[in-house]
Amino acid sequence: MGNNQPKGKALYWKLFWSTFQLSAFTFGGGYVIVPLMRRKFVEDLHWIEEDEMMDLTAIAQSTPGAMAVNASVLVGYRVAGVLGAFTTVFATVLPPFLVLSVISLFYAQFRDNWVVNLVMKGMQAGVAAVICDVVFSMGRNILKLRRVLPLIMMAGAFVASWFFGINVVLVILICAVVGAADTWNRERKLGKGEKE
C-alpha cells in the first residue's frame, strides 16, 4: 500500500469518489470496470500492488454476483476494511441505480429513439476495446511469470470456452482446482527445500 494514502474521512471520500466516477462513466460491466480500477488503484493511487489486483480480480470473477460489485467490495475492503467495502459498494451501485431510475421513467422514448440506439452501438465498440485491453494487460503479466502452467491454463480456458462452448463456471472451477493444486505443490517443494 502506498505511503500517499490519506487517512480518516479523506480516505473514505477519495475511495467513494474514485469508485463513483469509475462506475458512473463505465459502460459494459465488470470486465470493463476492472481494468479501470486497476489503473486507478494500482497505477494512479498506488494503493494496491499489481499482483494483488490480479488476485482480487480472479476472486471477484469466481464469486457469485455482479463482477463490478464484487471487485469494488474486495478493493474497498483491501484499502479500508469493512467500512471501505461498504463505501465502494455504495459508490459502485449508486450511478447505475440513478441512471436506471431515470431510464425507467422514459423507457418507451429511449427504446424507440434512433440516437440512443446509435450511441449504444458506439458504446459496444468501446467496451470491446476495453475488454481487449484487459486481456492483453493481464496476459502480459502472466507471461512475465515465465511459467508454463499458467500459459497452458490461459490457452486451455480460451479453447474450452470459445471453441467447445464449455460453461465458463466450469472452466473457472477447473482453473481454481488446478491453480490451488499447483500452489500447494510449489509451497510443499519450497518447504522441503528450506528444511534441507
Side-chain angles (χ1 to χ4, degrees):
M1 200 178 300
N3 296 329
N4 61 345
Q5 185 174 327
K7 303 287 184 213
K9 290 181 183 177
L11 171 64
Y12 294 109
W13 173 248
K14 182 78 173 173
L15 197 56
F16 173 84
W17 185 242
S18 298
T19 315
F20 182 87
Q21 285 177 312
L22 289 173
S23 181
F25 300 107
T26 303
F27 296 88
Y31 292 104
V32 177
I33 200 168
V34 165
L36 298 176
M37 287 178 118
R38 182 184 148 275
R39 189 166 292 136
K40 185 69 170 180
F41 294 108
V42 174
E43 295 176 6
D44 295 347
L45 297 174
H46 305 289
W47 289 358
I48 299 175
E49 296 296 323
E50 180 78 36
D51 292 342
E52 193 172 14
M53 189 67 198
M54 284 184 63
D55 292 342
L56 295 177
T57 302
I59 294 167
Q61 192 172 15
S62 59
T63 321
M67 188 172 164
V69 175
N70 293 345
S72 69
V73 166
L74 294 168
V75 167
Y77 183 78
R78 170 62 183 87
V79 171
V82 174
L83 191 54
F86 281 115
T87 302
T88 53
V89 166
F90 182 65
T92 301
V93 172
L94 187 59
F97 175 77
L98 296 174
V99 169
L100 289 174
S101 297
V102 171
I103 289 175
S104 68
L105 296 174
F106 307 102
Y107 177 71
Q109 291 88 341
F110 272 106
R111 184 189 60 205
D112 299 331
N113 190 313
W114 65 274
V115 174
V116 171
N117 288 327
L118 287 176
V119 168
M120 292 298 176
K121 293 277 186 201
M123 285 181 185
Q124 287 176 352
V127 166
V130 172
I131 290 174
C132 286
D133 178 55
V134 172
V135 170
F136 287 121
S137 63
M138 291 186 147
R140 189 172 55 238
N141 290 333
I142 290 173
L143 288 173
K144 285 179 186 175
L145 297 174
R146 295 190 177 159
R147 293 190 59 233
V148 176
L149 183 62
L151 296 175
I152 292 171
M153 287 175 62
M154 199 166 58
F158 173 75
V159 169
S161 178
W162 183 261
F163 293 108
F164 295 109
I166 295 174
N167 191 318
V168 177
V169 174
L170 184 59
V171 172
I172 290 171
L173 289 174
I174 290 170
C175 288
V177 169
V178 172
D182 178 56
T183 302
W184 176 78
N185 189 35
R186 287 173 50 214
E187 287 181 359
R188 189 174 57 84
K189 285 180 180 177
L190 188 65
K192 281 184 178 179
E194 287 175 358
K195 286 177 183 175
E196 292 170 2

